[in-house]
Amino acid sequence: MQLAPVYPLLYRVLHPLFPKCLWHGATEQKTIALTFDDGPHPQYTPKLLAVLDRYQIEASFFWLGVCVQRNPELANEVFQRGHGIGLHGYTHQSFPRLSTDELKQSLLNTQNAIADACQIDGHLIRDVRPPNGLFMPRQLRQLDQWGYRVVMWTVVPEDWVCPGISVVEERTLAQVNSGAIIVLHDGYYGGKDVAAITANLIPQLLDQGYQFVSVNEFWQQRQLTKPRN
């Protein structure tokens, strides 16, 4: 059973319940964020980078630590091109299945892999997207205590089940709106179509007047609109 029709409903339910997570950017501005999970992948990510370069689009990548360790030069290439980097765990294990120590170590190992590959301070990588979008309230509190920021989503076209390029494109265009965070995948699942999907989506969204921004810019928008005491 495909869950793509359910995700917009989940978004509407979960967003108000967990307001500390970043679910979207400013809805009064016609900006959207392209995000990619599960990479970097040695075949799929370079093709995706070529598409982003062609349109000069800044995206945000949420990496698995094990994939960074396998492809350090590619990880560094993504970083050097100015794309945003976040954590997706060391392997694709749902956070609720991990103990507190296992979760902390998974994120630390991923930060260390990024630090080694990109020659940066891994602790500067603070954005986390839970695999499968799953978490428990206790884990949100822990992530906040450890200094991480949880990034979720607005548009989830379920590309990882490979329903076809046109299907993912149609689902995305039907759900997108101002401030949307779009989730696609450049890893083992879904990655074979990601460059073609992205190449089809970007010009259509640009024609609709959208501007592509990083997840970090959405955090900055949120800080500016935060009510003052």
Side-chain angles (χ1 to χ4, degrees):
M1 175 184 175
Q2 293 191 355
L3 298 175
V6 178
Y7 284 111
L9 303 176
L10 279 176
Y11 163 75
R12 288 198 287 272
V13 171
L14 295 175
H15 167 223
L17 293 176
F18 302 104
K20 278 197 170 183
C21 300
L22 184 70
W23 295 88
H24 61 78
T27 55
E28 67 275 8
Q29 299 181 30
K30 209 158 185 188
T31 52
I32 51 179
L34 267 180
T35 69
F36 301 93
D37 290 0
D38 296 357
H41 188 282
Q43 291 176 293
Y44 307 144
T45 304
K47 295 177 182 178
L48 173 60
L49 287 177
V51 174
L52 297 173
D53 281 354
R54 187 190 318 159
Y55 291 98
Q56 297 185 318
I57 299 297
E58 180 182 354
S60 300
F61 290 80
F62 290 85
W63 282 340
L64 297 172
V66 67
C67 293
V68 175
Q69 285 192 325
R70 290 172 182 166
N71 306 282
E73 293 182 359
L74 179 55
N76 188 47
E77 185 178 351
V78 174
F79 174 74
Q80 292 297 332
R81 293 189 191 198
H83 297 293
I85 306 300
L87 312 172
H88 202 43
Y90 186 74
T91 59
H92 204 275
Q93 288 183 284
S94 294
F95 286 177
R97 301 183 66 178
L98 301 176
S99 69
T100 297
D101 289 343
E102 288 172 336
L103 175 58
K104 194 170 189 177
Q105 195 62 49
S106 173
L107 297 173
L108 180 60
N109 288 345
T110 307
Q111 286 176 314
N112 289 340
I114 294 170
D116 291 342
C118 303
Q119 297 300 297
I120 59 172
D121 181 355
H123 293 93
L124 297 176
I125 309 299
R126 300 171 53 210
D127 286 343
V128 176
R129 174 172 284 150
N132 306 310
L134 298 177
F135 57 80
M136 300 296 287
R138 170 179 57 85
Q139 291 164 333
L140 287 186
R141 291 192 296 270
Q142 291 169 340
L143 291 169
D144 186 51
Q145 290 168 4
W146 299 337
Y148 295 112
R149 309 184 300 188
V150 177
V151 178
M152 295 300 288
W153 31 253
T154 318
V155 179
V156 188
E158 207 177 15
D159 60 318
W160 63 87
V161 300
C162 299
I165 294 169
S166 62
V167 172
V168 175
E169 181 183 338
E170 289 168 8
R171 288 173 177 172
T172 303
L173 294 173
Q175 296 178 30
V176 76
N177 49 31
S178 296
I181 299 176
I182 300 171
V183 180
L184 296 170
H185 294 75
D186 63 326
Y188 184 79
Y189 294 99
K192 71 181 183 69
D193 291 332
V194 72
I197 292 167
T198 306
N200 288 350
L201 283 174
I202 288 175
Q204 294 185 75
L205 292 168
L206 289 172
D207 286 345
Q208 292 181 27
Y210 287 106
Q211 177 187 356
F212 291 89
V213 300
S214 68
V215 163
N216 193 56
E217 184 159 333
F218 277 175
W219 282 116
Q220 292 173 351
Q221 290 176 0
R222 178 162 160 165
Q223 201 63 31
L224 289 172
T225 57
K226 193 175 181 180
R228 296 181 181 178
N229 294 329

